[in-house]
């Protein structure tokens, strides 16, 4: 079979013969198109090409090819993008509520507060009472400061409407410290005003079993050894019988105070009398047996008259205890504390600072909340605060004295 290609050169018509088996053979449709174009050129001098049925057929074929290819591209895109869309939709909010709460239980208080600001769902979850009650039970054993307004049991005993989250944020030493830092300029201004106003140095009486045990080095570091926080400025005489009530004047951050130490006996007796017999040999106290009663359980202790006179003149108390973890005598030490701060001879506004001391960081420390329970500090009707302290290096001791001095000025 043979086919011809027709070309009009203007003067002659040239026919080109092609063999069907030739590799350069044109498509029959192309041959018909060129023949059609030749006929138009013979009848028109403008050589304008007008699309006819063949052109429409070719266009339809090209459009069908383009549409099919675009569909394949779209299908390909769908199959690729679909997994990405499902991955981005899977978030922590899709987990069950109990699983989300379990994950949040491993976060600290600061992280939970940040999560509450993300969205409404997390704000509701991070306010769960059980979540914060569990967080409080874990963290309270690590708190190094607990006071009369920051002990969680106070808000539960009075049946307050506060949630566990509100109680935690009110009592946490870390949160309170950050709040004080935010109000730093206000505290600086108030401290400056107090410094400008004429005030006599507060009289602070320090006592307790911690002064007569392995933590007795606290007095030596405070009074007789040079340190970066406390400066000795002089001595003052005692105003009571036998010079009782004498002590040393100290300064901390431009604030002066007088410190007197009260021992239960002389140095020889303190070093040789066991701790369990300390109360019976206490020369500051006198046992009182109510009428019609007998037995050691009915005995209560009161201060000797000259000690009562001293307590009426002091502006603050500092009670020092040995808070090593295996100290089982702390429950009996509360007898000395309650006798000293009895309201019959001490004004109710006079604060009490409890220094929960260990010798150094190698000694296991009793939790601060345990000291509060053993001494039954919730029974006191005056301001009080407990600080975990280390004698070696006076860790937390300056902050504790700053608190008690500030409280002594609030009358």
């Amino acid at each position: 079979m043979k086919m011809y290609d027709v070309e009009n050169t203007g003067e002659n018509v040239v026919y080109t013969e092609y063999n069907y088996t030739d590799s350069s053979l044109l498509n029959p449709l192309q041959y018909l198109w060129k023949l059609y174009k030749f006929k138009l050129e013979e009848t028109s001098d403008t050589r304008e090409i007008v699309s006819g049925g063949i052109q429409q057929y070719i266009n339809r074929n090209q459009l069908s090819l383009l549409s099919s290819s675009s569909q394949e591209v779209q299908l390909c895109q769908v199959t690729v993008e679909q997994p990405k869309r499902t991955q981005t939709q899977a978030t922590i909010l899709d987990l069950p509520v109990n699983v989300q709460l379990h994950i949040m239980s491993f976060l600290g208080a600061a992280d939970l507060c940040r999560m509450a600001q993300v969205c409404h769902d997390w704000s509701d979850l991070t306010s769960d009472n059980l979540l914060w009650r569990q967080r409080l039970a874990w963290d309270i054993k690590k708190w190094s400061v607990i006071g009369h307004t920051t002990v969680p049991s106070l808000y539960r005993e009075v049946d307050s409407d506060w949630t566990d989250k509100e109680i935690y944020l009110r009592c946490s030493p870390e949160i309170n410290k950050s709040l004080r830092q935010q109000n730093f300029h206000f505290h600086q201004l108030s401290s400056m005003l107090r410094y400008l106003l004429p005030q006599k140095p507060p009289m602070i009486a320090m006592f307790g079993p911690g002064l007569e045990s392995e933590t007795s080095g606290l007095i030596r570091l405070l009074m007789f050894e040079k340190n970066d926080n406390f400066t000795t400025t002089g001595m003052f005489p005692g105003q009571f019988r036998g010079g009782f009530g004498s002590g040393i004047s100290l300064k901390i951050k431009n604030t002066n105070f007088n410190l007197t130490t009260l021992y239960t006996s002389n140095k020889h007796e303190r070093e040789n009398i066991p701790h369990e017999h300390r109360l019976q040999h206490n020369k500051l106290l006198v046992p009182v047996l109510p009428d019609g009663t007998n037995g050691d359980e009915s005995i209560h202790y009161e201060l000797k008259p000259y000690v009562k006179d001293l307590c009426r003149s002091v502006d603050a108390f500092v009670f020092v205890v040995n808070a090593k973890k295996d100290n089982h005598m702390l429950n009996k030490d509360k007898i000395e504390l309650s006798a000293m701060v009895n309201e019959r001879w001490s004004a109710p506004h006079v604060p009490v600072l409890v220094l929960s001391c260990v010798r150094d960081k190698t000694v296991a420390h009793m939790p601060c909340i345990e000291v509060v329970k053993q001494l039954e500090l919730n029974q006191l009707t005056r301001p009080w605060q407990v600080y975990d302290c280390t004698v070696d290096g006076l860790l937390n001791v300056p902050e504790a004295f700053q608190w008690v001095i500030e409280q002594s000025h609030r009358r």
Side-chain angles (χ1 to χ4, degrees), residues 7-8 40 65 95 140 145 148 159 198 213 244 262 274 317 343 348 354 385-386 409-410:
E7 183 179 359
N8 187 2
L40 284 175
L65 289 173
L95 297 174
I140 196 172
V145 183
H148 63 289
D159 296 329
S213 62
F244 183 74
L262 308 178
F317 293 101
E343 290 184 1
V354 179
Q385 192 112 298
V386 182
H409 291 153
R410 298 179 180 179

Side-chain angles (χ1 to χ4, degrees), residues 92-107:
I92 189 174
L93 295 174
D94 297 326
L95 297 174
V97 173
N98 59 337
V99 176
Q100 295 184 51
L101 289 174
H102 180 69
I103 295 173
M104 292 176 182
S105 66
F106 294 97
L107 301 177

